[in-house]
Amino acid sequence: MFQQETDAGILVCEWHDRLPGEIPAAMTSILTPMLDKPLLQRAIEQLVRLGCRHVHVLLGITPEPVRRFLAEGERWGITLRYHYLWSDRDLADNFKPLRLSPASRYWLASAETVPVLVPDEQSGGIGWRTGTVTHWSGWGCFSGDWLAGLKGVASREALEALLLEQHSIS
C-alpha cells in the first residue's frame, strides 16, 4: 500500500473536455447514485480514508449542485474550499488560488471516476485503470511543486498524456 503524508486533497468535479455551451454529462453522472451513493460522495469518502482533512473542490460550469450536495464538508468532518476551474487557463494557473505548498503532497482526484484503492509504490502514487497502465484512473498523489508546474496542461487527456510520458510504467 502506498502511504503518503498528506492531509489535503484536490477534487476536480468537471474537466473542461467539452465544447463551450455543451451540457456537462459529468454533472449528472457524479450526482447519480451508483450502489446507493453518488460518485461525488464516493470521491469525498475516499479522500477522507486517505487522510485528507482539507479538500479543495474545483467547480466547473455547473457549480450549484455540487455546493448543495457537499455543503461545507461537515458531514465528513472535513473542511472544503471551493474554487472555479477556468476553461481558458491551464491547471498551473487554476491551482494558483489554492496556495499549494511546493514541498507538500496532495491527492488529486477526479469526481467523474470511481475512486481507486490506494495506489502502490510501484505506480509512484498514481492510480492507473485496472488492467492497464495507459489510462489514468483520475487518482494520484503529487507534490505541490509538480502540480504548480502543469503549464500548458488544461484537460484530463493532456494530464494523462503527461503522466504517461513522465511515468513510463510497464
Side-chain angles (χ1 to χ4, degrees):
M1 185 178 287
F2 188 71
Q3 294 295 325
Q4 285 295 319
E5 291 194 24
T6 179
D7 71 347
I10 302 166
L11 181 62
V12 179
C13 291
E14 291 180 68
W15 292 90
H16 294 293
D17 298 56
R18 59 187 61 85
L19 298 172
E22 182 181 356
I23 296 173
M27 256 308 86
T28 56
S29 66
I30 68 172
L31 292 170
T32 301
M34 183 179 90
L35 299 174
D36 297 325
K37 289 183 187 178
L39 283 175
L40 183 58
Q41 181 176 343
R42 290 182 182 282
I44 288 290
E45 289 174 354
Q46 179 67 350
L47 287 169
V48 170
R49 277 191 292 279
L50 291 170
C52 296
R53 296 181 312 222
H54 310 284
V55 177
H56 296 280
V57 179
L58 295 178
L59 303 165
I61 59 174
T62 52
E64 287 313 309
V66 172
R67 282 181 176 268
R68 276 194 306 275
F69 184 80
L70 296 177
E72 299 302 316
E74 61 277 348
R75 71 173 152 167
W76 296 284
I78 60 173
T79 304
L80 299 177
R81 289 196 171 71
Y82 294 99
H83 310 272
Y84 287 95
L85 185 64
W86 301 102
S87 61
D88 61 340
R89 298 179 191 164
D90 59 25
L91 289 177
D93 285 341
N94 272 299
F95 289 160
K96 280 181 185 174
L98 282 57
R99 295 188 207 133
L100 304 176
S101 170
S104 294
R105 307 279 300 173
Y106 299 88
W107 283 102
L108 177 63
S110 173
E112 299 176 356
T113 60
V114 176
V116 296
L117 299 174
V118 179
D120 62 25
E121 290 186 48
Q122 284 185 319
S123 70
I126 300 166
W128 299 97
R129 288 192 189 155
T130 305
T132 179
V133 292
T134 57
H135 294 290
W136 181 50
S137 68
W139 288 77
C141 194
F142 306 97
S143 72
D145 188 48
W146 190 86
L147 292 168
L150 292 174
K151 284 282 185 201
V153 177
S155 69
R156 181 187 160 103
E157 282 76 17
L159 180 57
E160 184 174 279
L162 178 66
L163 290 170
L164 284 169
E165 179 183 305
Q166 291 183 354
H167 303 277
S168 53
I169 301 168
S170 46

